[in-house]
Amino acid sequence: MSPRKRTATAALPPPVSPERHAALRGPLLSWYDRNKRDLPWRRTRDPYAIWLSEVMLQQTQVSTVIPYWERFLARFPTVKALASAPLDDVLSGWKGLGYYTRARNLHRAAQEVVERFGGKFPPTAEELITLPGFGRYTAGAVASIAFGEPAPIVDGNVARVLSRLFEVEGLPGDRDREATLWALATELAKGERPGDFNQALMEHGATTCRPESPLCLLCPVRDGCFAYRKGRVHELPPAKVRAAPRKLFLALAVWPHAGTLLFARRADKGLFGGLWELPAVEVDEETPEAEAVQRLSSTLGATLALEGTLDSVRRQLTHRDLTLRLLRVSGGPRPTKSAAFQELRWCTPQEAEALGMSTAMQRALDAVLGHGVLGGDAPAAPAPAKKKAAGRTTRKATGG
DNA sequence: CAGTCGTGGGA
DNA sequence: TTCCCAAGACT
């Protein structure tokens, strides 16, 4: 018995008896062998390709990841190729996937694998977790799936599955709850094919032990599930409490010149870090356009005149309600650097395609080009944005 | 520990 | 239309 004292309210890690270990592990593994989805990263044993899938899958759905994973791998086939690529190319390959820090960490980690490990991934979770962007989950996933180390993983799926199987109480983020889940996952990872078993836990959570409407009648470990026995499946785990999204208004300078527009690279930290945008300043909902133009002028070190406005673009992020106001301006002198941005660049639409850019900014750019701001007829269909209108119409484009 | 960081899809 | 999320990491 451990001498460590616990408070009365602390969750005690449920024991995993040898019987229970076997009763869960075997059925889950054979269920996985029969029911696993044919995902492209399950057809490779290349640690680099597996790592890439794990990073892309962070907070992102499988169906979204598949085309990105294939394209990215074709563009950067090896960790060395990724390490030696310019950051702009990497961010461009990540364009539209979100959580862009992942891409910058991916790039840095690739460089460290080359420099510190001679281009070969270290095979243990303990070493992997020292690399940028590797947390406990990703280190365990790569170690177990690519190298067969019996390392545990706990992601959202595993947390849900184990919460139900072992009736683990507590809200997501609760210290004792997390410790309990990792302790359970550590015990269960021990045995044959730890990588497949870890994936079995996730696959089961993703397809059967789902958050809503779990398919308990198809569950291979239903008999051993405490939550099922007690009729508590629907209440475990408790849903996260999420803060309401805050409003964020940005005024963008749409500044055409000789077939180009002015683009700026945002700071590495914060929203859309390191990505390119039409130069933006944060404003309030009430900020008059004239004042927004004034602030863009001083930010860019130029004297700008408002020529007209285009439709605003709205985007819902998890924690932000984003409104992009497009202000078409003219003026001078034309800057090539600014203290407010990492970098400024005058780009044709074609050149801008190669820049890392958020989906919000891509929508704004599509709207700008759709209005023929650069002259001529609306240029070659601005990336037929899946039929949906690029932005809601709040007012007609004006000025000339 | 709580806040931050995106997106497309489904209810 | 609106809301909710999904294979986390970092500060």
Side-chain angles (χ1 to χ4, degrees):
Chain A
M1 187 101 143
S2 164
R4 173 190 294 269
K5 291 192 172 178
R6 305 188 65 101
T7 63
T9 55
L12 290 167
V16 183
S17 66
E19 294 76 17
R20 189 147 159 76
H21 183 273
L24 295 175
R25 211 174 188 288
L28 276 170
L29 208 40
S30 61
W31 171 88
Y32 178 70
D33 289 336
R34 282 179 280 112
N35 296 289
K36 67 179 174 187
R37 290 168 290 179
D38 180 22
L39 304 179
W41 43 87
R42 287 181 176 159
R43 293 168 169 265
T44 178
R45 293 188 54 88
D46 177 10
Y48 166 68
I50 290 169
W51 167 52
L52 180 65
S53 75
E54 290 301 336
V55 175
M56 286 186 166
L57 285 163
Q58 289 168 10
Q59 303 291 288
T60 309
Q61 311 218 354
V62 165
S63 57
T64 301
V65 166
I66 290 175
Y68 276 93
W69 184 83
E70 290 174 337
R71 250 183 284 131
F72 199 97
L73 211 50
R75 190 164 171 182
F76 310 103
T78 65
V79 66
K80 291 180 184 176
L82 178 58
S84 61
L87 177 58
D88 269 335
D89 290 359
V90 178
L91 290 173
S92 159
W94 206 267
K95 184 187 297 190
L97 245 195
Y99 286 136
Y100 297 92
T101 297
R102 291 185 296 177
R104 286 185 287 125
N105 282 337
L106 192 83
H107 192 224
R108 284 203 296 145
Q111 293 173 336
E112 284 196 27
V113 167
V114 169
E115 290 163 14
R116 293 170 49 198
F117 300 102
K120 288 188 63 178
F121 279 84
T124 66
E126 185 182 355
E127 294 172 285
L128 289 167
I129 204 169
T130 67
L131 294 165
F134 277 82
R136 204 171 172 186
Y137 166 79
T138 305
V142 173
S144 63
I145 298 170
F147 297 109
E149 181 187 6
I153 59 165
V154 176
D155 71 335
N157 284 316
V158 175
R160 180 173 58 256
V161 170
L162 295 181
S163 294
R164 288 171 174 168
L165 284 175
F166 290 87
E167 209 176 8
V168 178
E169 311 287 351
L171 291 163
D174 177 88
R175 193 182 181 81
D176 288 326
R177 172 186 190 261
E178 305 305 326
T180 298
L181 293 173
W182 278 98
L184 290 168
T186 300
E187 285 308 304
L188 290 171
K190 295 172 183 169
E192 297 299 303
R193 301 164 56 200
D196 283 342
F197 177 75
N198 282 340
Q199 293 190 82
L201 276 179
M202 292 191 286
E203 189 80 349
H204 180 242
T207 64
T208 306
C209 195
R210 308 184 298 201
E212 303 296 330
S213 320
L215 307 176
C216 293
L217 294 182
L218 301 178
C219 177
V221 287
R222 183 183 56 210
D223 293 342
C225 179
F226 290 175
Y228 180 77
R229 290 189 199 175
K230 294 193 177 185
R232 297 190 62 206
V233 171
H234 62 287
E235 63 185 67
L236 287 174
K240 292 176 203 169
V241 281
R242 196 184 295 267
R246 298 203 311 266
K247 292 177 190 282
L248 176 64
F249 296 89
L250 296 177
L252 310 188
V254 181
W255 189 353
H257 172 79
T260 66
L261 288 168
L262 180 59
F263 290 86
R265 188 206 282 278
R266 295 173 62 88
D268 279 342
K269 289 184 178 173
L271 190 65
F272 304 139
L275 301 188
W276 290 83
E277 65 180 6
L278 297 170
V281 294
E282 184 176 352
V283 295
D284 292 326
E285 184 164 17
E286 317 293 345
T287 304
E289 287 164 1
E291 184 185 332
V293 172
Q294 192 77 343
R295 294 185 43 200
L296 284 166
S297 293
S298 64
T299 298
L300 293 171
T303 304
L304 299 175
L306 182 62
E307 298 289 346
T309 60
L310 286 74
D311 301 345
S312 290
V313 170
R314 295 192 59 187
R315 293 279 299 171
Q316 271 291 355
L317 313 183
T318 301
H319 54 295
R320 302 279 183 179
D321 184 353
L322 190 58
T323 302
L324 305 182
R325 302 204 163 134
L326 302 177
L327 305 179
R328 187 175 161 193
V329 300
S330 63
R334 289 183 293 109
T336 54
K337 57 183 171 183
S338 158
F341 300 105
Q342 294 196 61
E343 211 175 331
L344 293 181
R345 212 181 275 182
W346 294 85
C347 293
T348 65
Q350 210 160 22
E351 291 164 340
E353 285 177 18
L355 302 178
M357 205 174 292
S358 69
T359 297
M361 195 56 54
Q362 192 65 55
R363 296 270 195 275
L365 185 56
D366 290 348
V368 169
L369 299 178
H371 277 297
V373 164
L374 289 180
D377 300 318
K386 286 219 292 191
K387 184 116 181 198
K388 274 186 179 172
R392 290 170 188 76
T393 299
T394 56
R395 76 185 79 190
K396 293 277 287 185
T398 60

Coordinates of all heavy atoms in Angstrom, one line a residue, chain A residues 156-198:
Chain A
G156 N -9.0 13.0 -26.5 CA -10.4 13.2 -26.2 C -11.2 11.9 -26.3 O -12.1 11.6 -25.4
N157 N -10.9 11.1 -27.3 CA -11.6 9.8 -27.4 C -11.3 8.8 -26.3 O -12.2 8.2 -25.7 CB -11.2 9.1 -28.8 CG -11.8 9.8 -30.0 OD1 -13.0 10.1 -29.9 ND2 -11.1 10.0 -31.0
V158 N -10.0 8.7 -26.0 CA -9.6 7.8 -25.0 C -10.1 8.2 -23.6 O -10.6 7.4 -22.8 CB -8.0 7.7 -24.9 CG1 -7.6 6.8 -23.7 CG2 -7.5 7.1 -26.2
A159 N -10.1 9.5 -23.4 CA -10.7 10.0 -22.1 C -12.1 9.7 -22.0 O -12.6 9.3 -20.9 CB -10.5 11.6 -22.1
R160 N -12.9 9.8 -23.0 CA -14.3 9.4 -23.0 C -14.5 7.9 -22.8 O -15.3 7.5 -21.9 CB -15.0 9.9 -24.3 CG -16.5 9.6 -24.3 CD -17.1 10.2 -25.5 NE -16.6 9.8 -26.8 CZ -15.8 10.5 -27.5 NH1 -15.4 11.7 -27.1 NH2 -15.3 10.0 -28.7
V161 N -13.8 7.1 -23.5 CA -13.9 5.7 -23.4 C -13.6 5.2 -22.0 O -14.3 4.4 -21.4 CB -13.0 5.0 -24.4 CG1 -13.0 3.5 -24.2 CG2 -13.5 5.2 -25.9
L162 N -12.4 5.7 -21.5 CA -12.0 5.2 -20.2 C -12.9 5.8 -19.1 O -13.2 5.1 -18.1 CB -10.6 5.6 -19.9 CG -9.5 5.0 -20.8 CD1 -8.1 5.4 -20.4 CD2 -9.6 3.4 -20.8
S163 N -13.4 7.0 -19.3 CA -14.3 7.6 -18.3 C -15.6 6.7 -18.1 O -16.1 6.5 -17.0 CB -14.8 9.0 -18.7 OG -13.7 9.9 -18.7
R164 N -16.0 6.2 -19.2 CA -17.2 5.3 -19.2 C -16.9 3.9 -18.7 O -17.6 3.4 -17.8 CB -17.8 5.3 -20.6 CG -18.5 6.6 -21.0 CD -18.9 6.6 -22.4 NE -19.7 7.9 -22.7 CZ -20.0 8.3 -23.9 NH1 -19.6 7.6 -25.0 NH2 -20.7 9.4 -24.1
L165 N -15.8 3.3 -19.2 CA -15.5 2.0 -18.8 C -15.2 1.9 -17.3 O -15.6 0.9 -16.6 CB -14.2 1.5 -19.6 CG -14.4 1.1 -21.0 CD1 -13.1 0.7 -21.6 CD2 -15.3 -0.1 -21.1
F166 N -14.5 2.9 -16.8 CA -14.1 2.9 -15.4 C -14.9 3.8 -14.5 O -14.6 4.0 -13.3 CB -12.6 3.2 -15.3 CG -11.8 2.1 -15.8 CD1 -11.4 2.0 -17.2 CD2 -11.3 1.1 -15.0 CE1 -10.6 1.0 -17.7 CE2 -10.5 0.0 -15.5 CZ -10.1 0.0 -16.8
E167 N -15.9 4.5 -15.1 CA -16.7 5.5 -14.3 C -15.8 6.5 -13.6 O -15.8 6.7 -12.4 CB -17.6 4.7 -13.3 CG -18.9 5.5 -13.0 CD -19.8 4.7 -12.1 OE1 -19.3 3.6 -11.6 OE2 -20.9 5.1 -11.9
V168 N -15.0 7.1 -14.4 CA -14.1 8.2 -13.9 C -14.9 9.5 -13.8 O -15.4 9.9 -14.9 CB -12.8 8.3 -14.8 CG1 -11.9 9.4 -14.3 CG2 -12.1 7.0 -14.9
E169 N -14.9 10.1 -12.7 CA -15.6 11.3 -12.5 C -14.7 12.5 -12.7 O -13.5 12.4 -12.9 CB -16.2 11.4 -11.0 CG -16.9 10.2 -10.6 CD -18.3 10.0 -11.2 OE1 -18.7 11.0 -11.9 OE2 -18.9 8.9 -11.1
G170 N -15.3 13.7 -12.8 CA -14.5 14.9 -12.9 C -14.6 15.6 -14.2 O -14.9 14.9 -15.2
L171 N -14.4 16.9 -14.3 CA -14.5 17.6 -15.5 C -13.2 17.6 -16.3 O -12.1 17.4 -15.7 CB -14.8 19.1 -15.2 CG -16.2 19.4 -14.6 CD1 -16.3 20.8 -14.0 CD2 -17.3 19.3 -15.8
P172 N -13.3 17.7 -17.6 CA -12.0 17.8 -18.4 C -11.1 18.9 -17.8 O -11.6 20.0 -17.5 CB -12.6 18.2 -19.8 CG -14.0 17.7 -19.8 CD -14.5 17.8 -18.4
G173 N -9.9 18.5 -17.6 CA -8.9 19.5 -17.1 C -8.7 19.3 -15.6 O -7.7 19.7 -15.1
D174 N -9.6 18.6 -15.0 CA -9.4 18.3 -13.5 C -8.2 17.5 -13.3 O -8.0 16.4 -14.0 CB -10.7 17.6 -13.0 CG -10.5 17.2 -11.5 OD1 -10.9 18.1 -10.7 OD2 -10.1 16.1 -11.2
R175 N -7.4 17.9 -12.4 CA -6.1 17.3 -12.2 C -6.2 15.8 -11.8 O -5.5 15.0 -12.4 CB -5.4 18.1 -11.0 CG -3.9 17.8 -10.9 CD -3.4 18.6 -9.7 NE -2.0 18.3 -9.5 CZ -1.1 19.0 -10.2 NH1 -1.4 19.9 -11.1 NH2 0.2 18.7 -10.0
D176 N -7.0 15.5 -10.9 CA -7.1 14.1 -10.5 C -7.7 13.2 -11.6 O -7.3 12.1 -11.8 CB -8.0 14.0 -9.2 CG -7.3 14.5 -8.0 OD1 -6.0 14.3 -7.9 OD2 -7.9 15.1 -7.1
R177 N -8.6 13.8 -12.3 CA -9.2 13.0 -13.4 C -8.2 12.7 -14.4 O -8.1 11.5 -14.9 CB -10.3 13.9 -14.0 CG -10.9 13.2 -15.3 CD -11.9 14.2 -16.0 NE -12.6 13.6 -17.0 CZ -12.3 13.7 -18.3 NH1 -11.3 14.5 -18.7 NH2 -13.0 13.1 -19.3
E178 N -7.4 13.7 -14.8 CA -6.3 13.5 -15.8 C -5.4 12.4 -15.4 O -5.0 11.5 -16.1 CB -5.6 14.8 -16.2 CG -6.5 15.9 -16.6 CD -7.4 15.6 -17.8 OE1 -7.0 14.8 -18.7 OE2 -8.6 16.0 -17.8
A179 N -5.0 12.5 -14.1 CA -4.0 11.5 -13.6 C -4.6 10.1 -13.6 O -3.9 9.2 -13.9 CB -3.6 11.9 -12.1
T180 N -5.8 10.0 -13.2 CA -6.5 8.7 -13.3 C -6.5 8.1 -14.7 O -6.2 7.0 -14.9 CB -7.9 8.8 -12.7 OG1 -7.9 9.3 -11.3 CG2 -8.7 7.5 -12.8
L181 N -6.9 9.0 -15.6 CA -7.0 8.5 -17.0 C -5.6 8.0 -17.5 O -5.5 7.0 -18.2 CB -7.6 9.6 -17.9 CG -9.0 10.0 -17.6 CD1 -9.5 11.2 -18.4 CD2 -10.0 8.8 -17.9
W182 N -4.6 8.8 -17.2 CA -3.3 8.4 -17.7 C -2.8 7.2 -17.0 O -2.1 6.3 -17.6 CB -2.3 9.6 -17.5 CG -2.4 10.6 -18.6 CD1 -3.0 11.8 -18.6 CD2 -1.8 10.5 -19.9 NE1 -2.9 12.4 -19.8 CE2 -2.1 11.7 -20.6 CE3 -1.0 9.5 -20.5 CZ2 -1.7 11.9 -21.9 CZ3 -0.6 9.8 -21.9 CH2 -0.9 11.0 -22.5
A183 N -3.2 7.0 -15.7 CA -2.8 5.8 -15.0 C -3.4 4.6 -15.7 O -2.8 3.5 -15.9 CB -3.1 5.9 -13.6
L184 N -4.7 4.7 -16.0 CA -5.4 3.6 -16.6 C -4.8 3.3 -18.0 O -4.6 2.1 -18.4 CB -6.9 4.0 -16.8 CG -7.7 4.0 -15.5 CD1 -9.1 4.7 -15.7 CD2 -7.9 2.6 -14.9
A185 N -4.6 4.4 -18.8 CA -4.1 4.2 -20.1 C -2.7 3.5 -20.1 O -2.3 2.7 -20.9 CB -4.0 5.5 -20.9
T186 N -1.9 3.8 -19.0 CA -0.6 3.3 -18.9 C -0.7 1.8 -18.7 O 0.1 1.0 -19.3 CB 0.2 4.0 -17.7 OG1 0.3 5.4 -18.0 CG2 1.5 3.4 -17.5
E187 N -1.6 1.4 -17.8 CA -1.7 -0.1 -17.5 C -2.2 -0.8 -18.8 O -1.7 -1.9 -19.1 CB -2.7 -0.3 -16.4 CG -2.1 0.1 -15.0 CD -0.8 -0.6 -14.8 OE1 -0.8 -1.9 -14.9 OE2 0.2 0.1 -14.5
L188 N -3.2 -0.2 -19.4 CA -3.8 -0.9 -20.6 C -2.9 -1.0 -21.8 O -3.0 -1.9 -22.6 CB -5.1 -0.2 -21.0 CG -6.2 -0.4 -19.9 CD1 -7.4 0.5 -20.3 CD2 -6.7 -1.9 -19.9
A189 N -1.9 -0.1 -21.9 CA -1.0 -0.1 -23.0 C -0.1 -1.2 -23.0 O 0.5 -1.6 -24.0 CB -0.3 1.2 -23.1
K190 N 0.1 -1.8 -21.8 CA 1.0 -2.9 -21.7 C 0.5 -4.2 -22.3 O -0.7 -4.6 -21.9 CB 1.4 -3.2 -20.2 CG 2.1 -2.0 -19.5 CD 2.2 -2.2 -18.0 CE 2.9 -1.0 -17.4 NZ 2.8 -1.0 -15.9
G191 N 1.2 -4.8 -23.2 CA 0.8 -6.0 -23.8 C 1.1 -6.0 -25.3 O 2.0 -5.2 -25.7
E192 N 0.5 -6.9 -26.0 CA 0.8 -7.1 -27.4 C 0.3 -5.8 -28.2 O -0.7 -5.3 -27.9 CB 0.1 -8.3 -28.0 CG 0.6 -9.6 -27.4 CD 2.1 -9.9 -27.6 OE1 2.5 -9.9 -28.8 OE2 2.8 -10.0 -26.6
R193 N 1.1 -5.5 -29.2 CA 0.7 -4.5 -30.2 C 0.2 -3.2 -29.5 O -1.0 -2.8 -29.8 CB -0.4 -5.1 -31.1 CG 0.1 -6.3 -31.9 CD -1.1 -7.1 -32.5 NE -1.9 -6.2 -33.3 CZ -3.2 -6.5 -33.6 NH1 -3.7 -7.6 -33.2 NH2 -3.9 -5.7 -34.4
P194 N 1.0 -2.6 -28.8 CA 0.5 -1.4 -28.1 C 0.0 -0.3 -29.0 O -0.9 0.5 -28.7 CB 1.7 -0.9 -27.3 CG 2.9 -1.6 -27.9 CD 2.4 -2.9 -28.5
G195 N 0.7 -0.1 -30.2 CA 0.2 0.9 -31.1 C -1.2 0.6 -31.6 O -2.0 1.5 -31.7
D196 N -1.5 -0.6 -32.0 CA -2.8 -1.0 -32.4 C -3.8 -0.9 -31.3 O -4.9 -0.4 -31.5 CB -2.8 -2.4 -33.0 CG -2.2 -2.5 -34.4 OD1 -2.1 -1.4 -35.0 OD2 -1.8 -3.6 -34.8
F197 N -3.4 -1.2 -30.1 CA -4.3 -1.1 -29.0 C -4.7 0.4 -28.7 O -5.9 0.7 -28.5 CB -3.8 -1.7 -27.7 CG -4.7 -1.5 -26.6 CD1 -5.9 -2.3 -26.5 CD2 -4.5 -0.6 -25.6 CE1 -6.8 -2.1 -25.4 CE2 -5.4 -0.4 -24.6 CZ -6.5 -1.1 -24.5
N198 N -3.7 1.2 -28.7 CA -4.0 2.6 -28.5 C -4.9 3.1 -29.6 O -5.9 3.9 -29.4 CB -2.7 3.5 -28.6 CG -1.9 3.4 -27.2 OD1 -2.5 3.0 -26.2 ND2 -0.7 3.7 -27.3

